[in-house]
Each structure stands twice: as structure tokens, then as C-alpha cells.
């Protein structure tokens, strides 16, 4: 077998077998096959695609490139949730403790943010003391003891994905359905959960710009999970607007705390309930989706989800008093108001522009080793459907620097204000 024949076979639109896919992935992970040949291999997949079986073999080859967590020492059903990444998406901070407060085991590994979307791990690190790097043994003990752990991915988990993702990033091969599906699912399968709920984002701020493409990605991931004997559900959600009001690390943690207190923005609260309900249902803790939603709402009303969040923070050496008193979070030096120049209804807030503005304020990173500032970010005071008058505050910029006019204008231009407004749904489809 040789890599040139495999590249040509895929380039000509033919189906690869398990051995050929393993040969390419193992060869690349072990530094036997060079970047330039795998770049051509990725580009051939980008143009010719892969069928469900090939995509599954690709996922398995990536999964087997590193450690696979053995969660068998955790009693009960283990669940995990993953989002394909969105602006203001702090759903895991709410869903994980909410679901865990019902007794469902949440053993979750999350990534750091890159580009305009933030990572759960970065957000958690804005809580003083919170340790994302606990050992596998402590991870398992913690889930057995308090029902939830939120940690960073270990370096040994799916090393093939780390190499492939960096290469895809610089070869124009990121937005390919089999490549995204295998990248996400190899990591989810390596983390060992029995039930996985995927939040697939659709719209300007997401990888998948339209519903058709997002459905294909969701189906590809659900199929991979099923072939591996896991229960997988994918929720397709609108990402043409940022989720909730807060964008930026500690600002998002504060919004998650408010949501667990029952005072979160409506769109964000709705999505948290929707995602929690899917996990509750798939874990067999409710008979139907309505009962599952009612349980999720109850855990907000009785503050059990909030308590569990504080338990989680404490278990991971963070200062849990911040969860009960979010005014303790460090403030940015300055807060600048972004002022409306037109009146009318906010129709849309461009997620990509808000994500980029927040990154420029210092809340995100362009390169993986950039240091983020937990204090800075944006709070969207007006959301789609709100009426604004000239002079109203649209958004607040939390900054440690003098006002940057480019950032200000980016946020102002992200707002599309029109004479009328028609609401669009947040959840677009659910695929199982
Ligand atoms: N997230 C991932 O982990 N991988 C991709 O390819 C895209 C999004």
C-alpha cells in the first residue's frame, strides 16, 4: 500500500477501504507521511467527500491514534454535550450542572477557543483558582462523587486530530463535512460517554452557513455515533445572532450564573433547557421531551443547578463564592457604550462581527498560545426584536484600553435595524 495510490483513488472519486484510511492516518500521526501528501489527501476528501462507512473508518483511525478514556468505573449513564462553536455560546456552563443535579453523570472534556468563538475551558478559567488540568483518576473520582467534571482535553486524546486540524487550517480544508464530523466525533468517542448531544450551529457565525449543510453534518455525526453503539442526538440551532447577551470570558460565566438563577436572556435559557432535555431524555431520566424540559426548568427554579455549579467549581479548586456573588469578578478598566444611530427594530446582530470585535478587545485568541484577558468583552444590551431609538445604548464594550474606533464601529455595524421585525426560531431541527 502507498499513499500516492490512496490519494489518486480518492481524487478519482472512489471509495477508500478501512485499511487505506488507517494507513494514511497512522502514517501521518507517526510522522512517516509528510504534510504535503496529507494536504493532497485532505483536499481530495474535501472535493470528493466520503460515504458514512468511510467517515466512520476515518473517525475510528483518528480515535485509535491516542488514549481512549475508560469511564467504566463511573456508575450510571455518562453523558456529554458538544457544540460546533458559536459566539456567546456558554451552554455547557449551564447544561452540565443542571443535568448533573438530577443525578445524571456528566464527564466532559472541553477545548480552548480559537478565532471568533470562545472555549468553555477559557471561560471556566476566569473563575479564580479553577483547575482544568486534573488527572484522569481525579476526573473519574470527581464524577463519582459530585456527578460532574469539566476539564480540558489531555494531549494524549486523539493526537491525529491535533495534527490534522492544524494542517486543515492552513490548506483550506476546514469546512468539509466528513472532516468536521470525524474531528468532532473522534474526540467525543475518546471521552467515553454513553449519550452525546451535539449542538450544530447554523448561520453567519458558524462553520455551516445554511440548514441543508448543517443537516448533512448532523446526520454524519449521528451515524458515526450509532455505528459505535452510542446514543447521539443533534440539535440544529441558529447562529446568525450571538447567543445570549454576553460575549467574553468572565462576562459569559456571569451570564451562565444568572441563567442558573432563572434570570438569563430568553434565547440562551431556551437553548439550555432544550439541550438539557435531550440529555435527560436520552439518559432515560424522563418518559418524553415535555417531561424532560419540565425537569430542567425545575432544577433552575429550585436552584439545584446553581448549587451543583458551585460544587463543581469547589471540586476543581475554584473559589465557589463567586458563583453566589458574581459581583466579585474582576472588572475591566473601562466600559464604553455603543450608541444607536437609527431607530427601529433590531433584526439581526452579525455573530462573526461581534466575535471578531470581542477577540480584538482581548477576549479571544488568534494563535493557540495567545493569552486571553478574562475581564474584557461585549454585552449586547439590545437583542433581535427590541425596539431602539436614536441615542439608545445598543451594546457595552468592556475594555482595558482606550476606546478603539474600529472595534466600536464593528459592533455598531453588526446591528441591522429595520422598520419591522419577524422572529425566527432558535432550534431549527433535531436529528437522531
Ligand atoms: N470543531 C472540531 O473539533 N473540529 C472541526 O473540524 C470543526 C469544529
Amino acid at each position: 500500500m502507498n499513499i500516492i495510490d490512496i490519494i489518486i483513488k480518492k481524487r478519482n472519486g472512489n471509495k477508500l477501504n478501512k485499511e487505506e484510511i488507517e494507513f494514511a492516518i497512522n502514517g501521518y500521526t507517526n510522522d512517516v507521511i509528510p504534510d504535503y501528501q496529507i494536504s493532497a489527501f485532505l483536499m481530495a476528501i474535501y472535493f470528493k467527500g466520503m460515504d458514512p462507512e468511510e467517515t466512520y473508518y476515518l473517525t475510528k483511525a483518528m480515535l485509535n491514534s491516542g488514549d481512549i478514556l475508560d469511564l467504566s468505573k463511573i456508575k450510571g449513564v455518562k453523558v456529554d454535550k458538544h457544540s460546533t462553536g458559536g459566539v456567546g455560546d456558554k451552554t455547557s456552563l449551564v447544561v452540565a450542572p443542571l443535568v448533573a443535579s438530577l443525578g445524571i453523570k456528566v464527564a466532559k472534556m472541553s477545548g480552548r477557543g480559537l478565532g471568533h468563538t470562545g472555549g468553555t475551558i477559557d471561560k471556566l478559567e476566569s473563575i479564580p483558582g479553577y483547575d482544568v488540568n486534573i488527572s484522569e483518576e481525579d476526573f473519574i473520582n470527581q464524577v463519582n462523587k459530585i456527578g460532574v467534571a469539566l476539564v480540558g482535553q489531555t494531549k494524549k486524546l486523539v493526537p491525529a486530530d491535533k495534527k490534522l486540524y492544524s494542517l486543515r487550517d492552513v490548506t483550506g480544508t476546514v469546512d468539509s463535512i466528513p472532516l468536521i464530523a470525524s474531528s468532532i466525533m473522534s474526540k467525543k468517542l475518546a471521552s467515553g460517554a454513553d449519550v452525546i448531544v451535539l449542538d450544530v450551529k447554523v448561520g453567519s457565525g458558524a462553520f455551516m452557513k445554511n440548514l441543508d449543510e448543517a443537516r448533512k453534518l448532523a446526520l454524519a455525526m449521528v451515524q458515526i455515533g450509532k455505528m459505535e453503539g452510542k446514543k447521539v442526538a443533534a440539535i440544529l440551532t441558529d447562529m446568525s445572532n450571538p447567543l445570549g447577551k454576553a460575549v467574553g470570558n468572565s462576562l459569559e460565566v456571569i451570564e451562565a450564573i444568572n441563567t442558573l438563577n432563572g434570570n438569563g436572556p430568553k434565547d440562551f435559557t431556551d437553548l439550555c433547557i432544550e439541550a438539557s432535555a435531550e440529555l435527560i431524555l436520552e439518559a432515560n431520566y424522563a418518559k418524553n421531551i415535555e417531561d424532560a424540559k419540565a425537569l430542567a426548568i425545575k432544577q433552575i427554579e429550585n436552584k439545584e443547578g446553581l448549587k451543583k455549579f458551585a460544587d463543581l467549581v469547589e471540586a476543581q479548586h475554584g473559589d465557589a463564592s463567586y458563583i453566589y456573588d458574581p459581583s466579585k469578578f474582576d472588572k475591566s478598566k473601562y466600559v464604553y457604550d455603543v450608541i444607536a444611530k437609527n431607530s427601529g427594530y433590531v433584526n439581526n446582530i452579525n455573530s462573526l462581527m461581534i466575535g471578531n470585535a470581542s477577540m480584538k478587545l482581548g477576549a479571544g485568541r488568534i494563535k493557540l498560545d495567545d493569552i486571553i484577558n478574562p475581564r474584557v468583552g461585549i454585552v449586547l444590551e439590545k437583542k433581535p426584536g427590541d425596539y431602539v431609538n436614536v441615542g439608545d445604548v445598543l451594546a457595552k464594550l468592556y475594555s482595558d484600553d482606550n476606546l478603539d474606533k474600529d472595534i466600536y464601529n464593528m459592533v455598531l455595524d453588526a446591528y441591522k435595524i429595520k422598520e419591522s421585525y419577524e422572529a425566527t426560531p432558535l432550534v431549527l431541527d433535531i436529528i437522531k
Side-chain angles (χ1 to χ4, degrees):
M1 207 177 297
N2 81 70
I3 187 66
I4 304 169
D5 291 343
I6 296 172
I7 296 169
I8 292 171
K9 190 171 174 187
K10 184 61 2 203
R11 185 204 67 189
N12 291 346
N14 296 312
K15 177 170 172 162
L16 299 178
N17 62 38
K18 182 169 177 275
E19 289 71 32
E20 289 162 336
I21 293 170
E22 280 173 357
F23 181 86
I25 298 304
N26 293 345
Y28 186 53
T29 312
N30 299 326
D31 297 324
V32 177
I33 301 174
D35 280 357
Y36 55 83
Q37 285 181 312
I38 294 299
S39 302
F41 177 66
L42 293 171
M43 193 56 88
I45 295 172
Y46 181 91
F47 279 115
K48 298 297 176 178
M50 280 185 146
D51 76 4
E53 214 174 16
E54 289 175 290
T55 311
Y56 177 63
Y57 292 141
L58 176 61
T59 310
K60 284 288 277 186
M62 289 166 69
L63 171 67
N64 291 328
S65 70
D67 290 353
I68 300 172
L69 277 190
D70 176 11
L71 300 187
S72 59
K73 286 200 204 119
I74 299 174
K75 296 174 260 327
V77 185
K78 278 80 68 181
V79 305
D80 193 356
K81 172 210 155 269
H82 179 82
S83 157
T84 57
V87 177
D89 188 355
K90 70 290 286 176
T91 319
S92 295
L93 301 182
V94 173
V95 171
L98 206 60
V99 167
S101 71
L102 288 164
I104 300 170
K105 301 288 172 30
V106 186
K108 182 161 170 49
M109 290 197 165
S110 291
R112 293 194 181 275
L114 193 58
H116 68 278
T117 63
T120 301
I121 287 307
D122 300 316
K123 293 170 197 177
L124 284 166
E125 278 183 341
S126 63
I127 304 168
Y130 193 99
D131 186 2
V132 300
N133 298 314
I134 61 177
S135 70
E136 191 177 322
E137 198 187 338
D138 287 348
F139 178 70
I140 288 172
N141 288 342
Q142 184 178 318
V143 180
N144 267 330
K145 194 162 162 222
I146 66 161
V148 58
L150 280 182
V151 302
Q153 269 154 20
T154 70
K155 289 207 170 57
K156 292 189 210 140
L157 214 74
V158 200
D161 181 61
K162 291 189 182 68
K163 277 193 90 176
L164 284 168
Y165 199 90
S166 308
L167 195 59
R168 284 167 59 205
D169 219 14
V170 292
T171 54
T173 52
V174 167
D175 49 345
S176 143
I177 287 173
L179 296 179
I180 298 176
S182 55
S183 164
I184 293 175
M185 288 306 289
S186 59
K187 286 175 288 198
K188 289 294 104 185
L189 296 177
S191 319
D194 313 304
V195 171
I196 302 160
V197 167
L198 304 162
D199 179 0
V200 179
K201 303 288 185 195
V202 191
S204 71
F207 284 111
M208 298 291 118
K209 308 287 180 219
N210 65 62
L211 189 54
D212 250 16
E213 290 297 293
R215 275 206 187 95
K216 285 185 200 152
L217 174 63
L219 192 61
M221 294 194 286
V222 169
Q223 279 169 336
I224 294 167
K226 281 196 181 148
M227 288 184 194
E228 196 63 9
K230 307 282 181 184
K231 279 174 132 182
V232 185
I235 309 175
L236 276 65
T237 60
D238 182 23
M239 210 354 105
S240 41
N241 291 292
L243 193 55
K245 292 185 171 185
V247 181
N249 297 281
S250 64
L251 294 170
E252 292 192 42
V253 174
I254 294 168
E255 187 164 274
I257 295 168
N258 292 341
T259 305
L260 284 165
N261 260 313
N263 305 318
K266 184 173 179 334
D267 61 338
F268 178 58
T269 304
D270 287 353
L271 180 59
C272 289
I273 290 167
E274 206 65 58
S276 301
E278 280 303 326
L279 285 168
I280 294 166
L281 185 66
E282 296 295 325
N284 289 329
Y285 271 62
K287 284 199 299 293
N288 54 49
I289 194 73
E290 282 71 34
D291 287 1
K293 279 186 197 170
L295 273 177
I297 292 167
K298 191 180 100 208
Q299 296 311 90
I300 293 179
E301 286 171 355
N302 64 18
K303 305 275 158 82
E304 289 298 323
L306 183 77
K307 260 202 248 157
K308 190 57 80 179
F309 191 30
D311 291 349
L312 165 71
V313 169
E314 193 167 324
Q316 288 187 227
H317 318 294
D319 185 344
S321 68
Y322 280 63
I323 307 308
Y324 294 113
D325 181 8
S327 69
K328 289 178 84 167
F329 278 95
D330 221 7
K331 314 276 179 313
S332 65
K333 258 200 221 158
Y334 309 105
V335 182
Y336 303 112
D337 290 341
V338 178
I339 303 293
K341 288 206 288 197
N342 308 306
S343 61
Y345 290 95
V346 176
N347 269 246
N348 172 254
I349 308 169
N350 186 298
S351 300
L352 190 57
M353 289 164 87
I354 297 295
N356 283 332
S358 161
M359 189 168 69
K360 282 188 117 185
L361 284 167
R365 51 171 81 78
I366 299 169
K367 296 189 296 338
L368 259 179
D369 54 359
D370 287 347
I371 293 173
I372 59 168
N373 180 345
R375 292 182 296 275
V376 301
I378 302 166
V379 172
L380 307 165
E381 297 294 334
K382 299 289 182 191
K383 292 272 295 173
D386 288 343
Y387 189 85
V388 295
N389 289 301
V390 176
D392 281 355
V393 176
L394 292 174
K396 287 181 182 291
L397 308 181
Y398 289 77
S399 170
D400 275 351
D401 294 312
N402 292 333
L403 180 62
D404 180 327
K405 266 289 168 195
D406 284 349
I407 299 176
Y408 182 97
N409 286 331
M410 239 171 162
V411 174
L412 184 63
D413 293 345
Y415 274 82
K416 294 289 163 280
I417 295 172
K418 295 188 181 162
E419 273 175 21
S420 60
Y421 170 74
E422 231 176 278
T424 50
L426 180 64
V427 175
L428 304 169
D429 203 355
I430 296 180
I431 291 176
K432 292 186 189 181

